[in-house]
Structures are given as structure tokens and as C-alpha cells.
Amino acid sequence: MSGNVTSLFRGTAAHSPSMAALTRESGEAGAGPVDFCIPCNPYFPTPAMFEEMAGRLRDIITYYPSGADTITAELCGLLELPPQCVAMGNGSTELITWIDHLLVRDSLAVPVPTFGRWTDQPMETGKRVDMFPLQESAGFALDLARYAEFVRARGTRTVVICNPNNPDGGYLHKQALVQFMDAMADRDLVVIDESFLEFADAEAEPSVVREAMLRPNVVVLRSLGKNFGLHGIRFGYLVANPALAGRVRAMLPKWNLNSFAEHVVFMLRDHGPEYAQSLHQVRRDRLEMAGRLSALPGLTVYPSQGNFLFVRLPVGAEGTVVRDRMLTEHRILVRECGNKIGSSSRFLRLVVRPQVDVHRLVSGLEQVLYGSRRGAAVPGPATGTGYSSGTAAVDRLVSETNGAGMRALAAQPAGPPGLAAAPAAGTGMPLPAAVPVAPAAATVGPMPMPVPAPQQVPQPAPVPQPAPYPGPVPVPHPAPAPRPTPDPVPPPAPAPYPAPAPAPAAAAPYSVPAGPTPPGVPARGGLTAAQVRGTDGLESVPAGGRPASRGWPDPAGMGRTG
């Protein structure tokens, strides 16, 4: 493979080059590299489904698709969702773009590392992005209580969580997420990105789509391309209450979905069992692959509920060197994560693939990492390297705040009630209670926002250092037998929230200040509960006149019948 291929990686700001670009640059005929980079489902669609699409290729690419309403109605009939609560987009990225333009006012909080569009998109439109660094010492687990404190201390108006998170595959249980959503009821918007949730098996029904439809400020984003192994088609959807979903849907072009997307959506009704089986196989492969990788000396594999594994290379290994040599010497494409904010080039994200491909991956890594020593990426025993995210701003933030996410807060005394101190590891401290919001009369146009009563911005208590993370336990090499479906893990019962305090009296409208909204001041033009009411009567409206779906459970447990 041409040496020019590796230069394509250096020319991308936040993502890997496309497979089409790599194929063009290589100049080689035949199949491309084994893809451990793009997180697709390798078992779906089935070969028979691909043959059916190929047989109809001429009609699919010749004629206009149906309108988005028709395709959305079919998908909603399949998933048993009310169409008024759903908006379909030309890929999740299109929906993230519209969420940013329509619903994010001035600031957005997001844990890092995560999917790059959640940081890049709002920064491109001039929003303040408050990044909450996930700690390597804690296995990149997201502490919801500390994240809630961070949001309140910063005064952030929009909150994002990816579940499972990309690139580490970290997972949050449904009950904990619902509790967090309610604690953030005073924010303009809470986005739960469930793009990889179909691959999770930690509990039977992990999705919060049902809960999102009944809340005034929650949007759930879901992918179709990743789950169905069809990234190139570009289709996904969001679920929210009718007012929020309707705002996004009203801005989308009538033909924003292409004919391939329409054809696949209408095929799915007859292929539910195959889809469920494909997810079951990916989960088995994930366990097998984690075991194989954990056996490599010095390689750390983090627990994942996605269809990918986040791994830390041995001390001394440089991810870009490993990536380039795997591609040029072994024709294997891996995702080096040095250009992900909050990560570094010591980390790779490796997509779960069939065992025959994993054998080839492990063999290639053994040669590149350990090889003959003369050409190995690991130079031998080393004393270790310091943390580096690959992004100077985040490096500085982590260094100056010890990962707390805010400067000069470590020495501050504990704040007043309403902003709980950061819990010690394992204490299970409840999330801070939501700030009460004064009821407002329903209105159609923008509402002037009252100035809240003057108050001191509470500061969080000193953030204790997390306990040393022992690292993932090596996974034993399993026998090639079907893995039994795990019993649902009961999450801890939610702690009761304090009774809400009386809302402050409304004052005269204020003028829009220059610059970002200060902490503790509501964003100008933020959504209120009154503006997004109308969530009653959410009866499911399946597509009429078509046969009942075969093998498709509801979206809260979609694909879990295998």
C-alpha cells in the first residue's frame, strides 16, 4: 500500500479518512484493508439483503424517494413510536447540526473524550463548550453526580451524554440516567446520544426514549447506520416530546432522506430475527476479542458496551506509528485517538469484528509492538509517560485543575445546600436537586426571561482524588460457545430529592449581555416547560394497512430477542 496513504490521516482534523479516500490513494485493486476503524455491524444486512438491494439498484438510484414523512411513519410503525415524537435525519450528524442551531442557545457541556461532533459543532457556531474531562485513573467512567455539579457551577444550559460513550464504550444504567435527566429539569436541553446502545447487554431495556417523550427538555439521538452496518446510507433519528421533535422536523427538507434509506427501512419489517441475531453475535465477539487483546503484554482493554474496544498501548508505543505500520505492513485499519479531545495517541479504538479478523489483528499487533525489537514500536522497558490529550487546551485544563474541570476551585470551601459536594468513590451520593423553575404561561413566540434574584454562585467542595484504578481485569479466553444472556443488573434505588424551594419572584426583562452567559444566569431565549407542553396523547401510530412486524421489539429493548 502506498506510503501516501498514511498522509491522509495527518490531514484530518478530528476523524479518520474515509474508506473511499484510502482506496483511491492506495491505487490498489481488490478489497480494501480489514476495517477495525469504522464502527459498523459486520453481520447485517445479510448477504441475501445485499443481493436484493443490488437487484433493485437501478430503480433505487434513478427515482426520487418518498417524502420524509412516509419513511418516518414506516420506521415508527416498526419501532412502535408516535411519529409526532420522531424526526429522521440524513445521518446523526445532520440532527446534531440542527440541534445545535435550533435548541442550543449559548453553552453546552459534554464529557471528553467523546464523539467529536458534540464538541466541534457548537464551537463552529460560537457556543461556549464546557468540557468535563473523564479520568483515565477511573477507567474513563462518567460520575453523574460530579458532572451535575460541573454543569451547575459553569451555568451551562445544554447537557450532553453519550451512552455508551465513544470511544471508550462506557455505560450508564437507565435508572441513573433518568434520575440525572430529572436533576437537569431546569436546563434548556438534555441530549442523550444512544447511537451505540443497540450493542449493549448490561440490562434488558436500556433506552430512555419512552422517558424522553414525557419530558419537556430531553432529546434522545439514535443511529441506524451503525446498527444496521450501513454507514454510507446516512440515516438516523431523534425522539423527543412533540414540540421539540416538531421544531427539528419543520426545518428538515422534504427529501432529506435518500432512496437507499427508504428501501432499507421498508425491508426491515421482514428481517427482525436476522437483525437480533447479528447483535447477539457482536456481543459474543466483543467478549472474545477483549480476551485476545488482554493477553498482549502491556496492553490495557477498557470495559465496553459498544461495538468497539478502547485500548491503551504499552508504555513507549506511539499510536500514529502503530496505526501507520498496521496499515502499510498488515493492511489493517485502526483508529488512533490522538486527535480526540481528552484522549492521546497512546489509545486506539478497535471495532469488534469476527474472530478470523481478530486473529489477524492480534498477529499484526504482536509484530508491530514487540516484533524483533529492532523494528518494534515498543522500545523496551520504560518509566512511563505523562498524560497528554493531544489538545493543548485540555492538557492545560487537566493540569491546572487536576481533572476537576474548573480553574481555582480545588481550594474553595464547600458551597451552600443545593450544590452537593463531590462524593467519595463508591458513596453513591445523590445528584444535586434541580433548580426550581417558575411556571410560565404558554406562549407561541419568544418569551422575555426574568432576571433571577441576585445570588452568590455556589462553588463545589474540594474534589478528592479518585482511588487508583487497578485497570481492567484480563478477560479469560472463552470457549467458542454461545454466551448466555446476562441477568439485568439492578441499579441502585434513586435517593429522594429535597423538596423544591419556592421560585424567586419575576423581575423586569433584562437586556442581552455581550459574550457568554455568566454562571447561574438562564440563557436568553431558553426553552421553558410552558413552551414545550402538549405531550399528552402520545398514542403509538403505526403505519396503517401493513402487516405486523416480525421479531421487532419496542425501541427500549430493540433487537434483544436473539
Side-chain angles (χ1 to χ4, degrees):
M1 184 171 286
S2 170
N4 292 332
V5 168
T6 58
S7 66
L8 292 174
F9 290 92
R10 300 179 182 92
T12 56
H15 301 281
S16 298
S18 69
M19 186 64 71
L22 288 172
T23 302
R24 286 193 299 268
E25 190 64 29
S26 70
E28 297 179 7
V34 180
D35 180 18
F36 282 89
C37 178
I38 309 300
C40 262
N41 182 346
Y43 300 108
F44 197 83
T46 64
M49 294 175 69
F50 275 118
E51 289 180 9
E52 179 183 340
M53 284 187 281
R56 297 193 57 187
L57 179 62
R58 184 184 183 92
D59 288 345
I60 290 173
I61 65 177
T62 298
Y63 300 109
Y64 273 111
S66 301
D69 289 347
T70 299
I71 304 172
T72 302
E74 173 66 18
L75 181 71
C76 290
L78 187 69
L79 303 180
E80 299 179 4
L81 291 172
Q84 65 266 36
C85 292
V86 176
M88 285 191 72
N90 185 26
S92 300
T93 303
E94 180 182 56
L95 296 173
I96 292 173
T97 302
W98 281 112
I99 289 171
D100 173 52
H101 281 289
L102 296 174
L103 306 178
V104 179
R105 297 300 174 178
D106 68 347
S107 55
L108 178 144
V110 60
V112 292
T114 195
F115 178 49
R117 291 313 300 168
W118 283 119
T119 55
D120 301 349
Q121 173 62 41
M123 285 194 290
E124 289 168 5
T125 54
K127 311 298 195 313
R128 189 187 81 219
V129 178
D130 297 328
M131 302 181 193
F132 181 76
L134 301 176
Q135 300 300 299
E136 180 182 344
S137 59
F140 296 97
L142 175 58
D143 186 320
L144 286 175
R146 291 184 180 177
Y147 187 37
E149 291 174 7
F150 173 81
V151 168
R152 296 218 180 284
R154 292 291 293 149
T156 319
R157 303 307 307 171
T158 295
V159 186
V160 175
I161 290 178
C162 295
N163 191 43
N165 190 42
N166 171 16
D168 58 276
Y171 177 78
L172 297 164
H173 282 273
K174 177 178 179 177
Q175 189 171 354
L177 265 183
V178 172
Q179 184 182 3
F180 179 84
M181 287 156 47
D182 289 340
M184 296 287 105
D186 62 318
R187 305 292 97 175
D188 292 346
L189 188 69
V190 178
V191 181
I192 309 297
D193 187 338
E194 295 184 346
S195 292
F196 294 98
L197 193 66
E198 295 302 310
F199 301 103
D201 58 3
E203 54 187 326
E205 296 186 359
S207 178
V208 295
V209 290
R210 302 291 180 188
E211 289 74 17
M213 291 187 293
L214 301 175
R215 284 162 173 78
N217 69 332
V218 179
V219 170
V220 174
L221 192 68
R222 308 207 89 207
S223 174
L224 294 173
K226 299 175 182 66
N227 307 335
F228 298 147
L230 295 168
H231 274 285
I233 290 184
R234 310 301 304 135
F235 56 165
Y237 64 102
L238 64 78
V239 183
N241 72 73
L244 283 178
R247 287 189 64 182
V248 176
R249 196 168 52 244
M251 297 301 296
L252 295 172
K254 182 175 179 62
W255 286 287
N256 71 313
L257 302 173
N258 59 61
S259 295
F260 266 115
E262 177 178 19
H263 187 76
V264 171
V265 168
F266 275 81
M267 286 178 70
L268 293 176
R269 185 171 294 273
D270 296 326
H271 295 280
E274 296 98 317
Y275 175 62
Q277 179 58 36
S278 75
L279 297 179
H280 183 66
Q281 186 61 49
V282 169
R283 296 170 194 142
R284 292 177 57 191
D285 288 347
R286 181 175 61 210
L287 183 66
E288 167 73 16
M289 182 171 166
R292 296 290 304 275
L293 291 172
S294 295
L296 294 177
L299 197 75
T300 302
V301 182
Y302 294 90
S304 174
Q305 283 286 295
N307 63 328
F308 46 81
L309 295 171
F310 198 49
V311 304
R312 186 181 66 213
L313 294 170
V315 172
E318 168 59 40
T320 56
V321 174
V322 174
R323 176 200 66 202
D324 291 355
R325 289 189 57 189
M326 290 292 289
L327 182 59
T328 57
E329 298 174 15
H330 301 279
R331 293 182 59 81
I332 295 174
L333 180 62
V334 300
R335 175 63 160 99
E336 178 268 324
C337 294
N339 60 357
K340 273 188 171 291
I341 296 176
S343 180
S344 78
S345 60
R346 278 197 67 193
F347 295 90
L348 303 179
R349 186 195 66 193
L350 302 172
V351 173
V352 173
R353 291 193 61 86
Q355 294 183 27
V356 62
D357 293 337
V358 173
H359 177 78
R360 181 171 170 179
L361 171 71
V362 171
S363 177
L365 286 173
E366 286 176 334
Q367 294 180 49
V368 170
L369 291 176
Y370 317 109
S372 62
R373 280 296 166 209
R374 184 173 52 192
V378 179
T383 57
T385 57
Y387 173 86
S388 171
S389 72
T391 305
V394 175
D395 281 347
R396 189 166 58 252
L397 178 69
V398 173
S399 173
E400 295 179 4
T401 68
N402 205 20
M406 292 187 64
R407 288 181 171 82
L409 290 183
Q412 295 291 337
L419 184 62
T427 58
M429 179 175 288
L431 300 176
V435 175
V437 180
T443 180
V444 176
M447 295 174 56
M449 301 293 293
V451 177
Q455 56 181 340
Q456 286 293 109
V457 178
Q459 303 291 343
V463 179
Q465 287 286 9
Y469 182 68
V473 178
V475 182
H477 190 92
R483 182 168 62 127
T485 303
D487 294 327
V489 179
Y497 286 99
Y510 68 95
S511 59
V512 180
T517 300
V521 177
R524 176 70 170 175
L527 299 175
T528 67
Q531 287 175 306
V532 295
R533 281 189 185 128
T535 59
D536 295 333
L538 302 183
E539 298 84 4
S540 175
V541 184
R546 284 186 284 275
S549 59
R550 302 192 332 235
W552 287 93
D554 70 83
M558 184 173 166
R560 267 159 252 285
T561 60

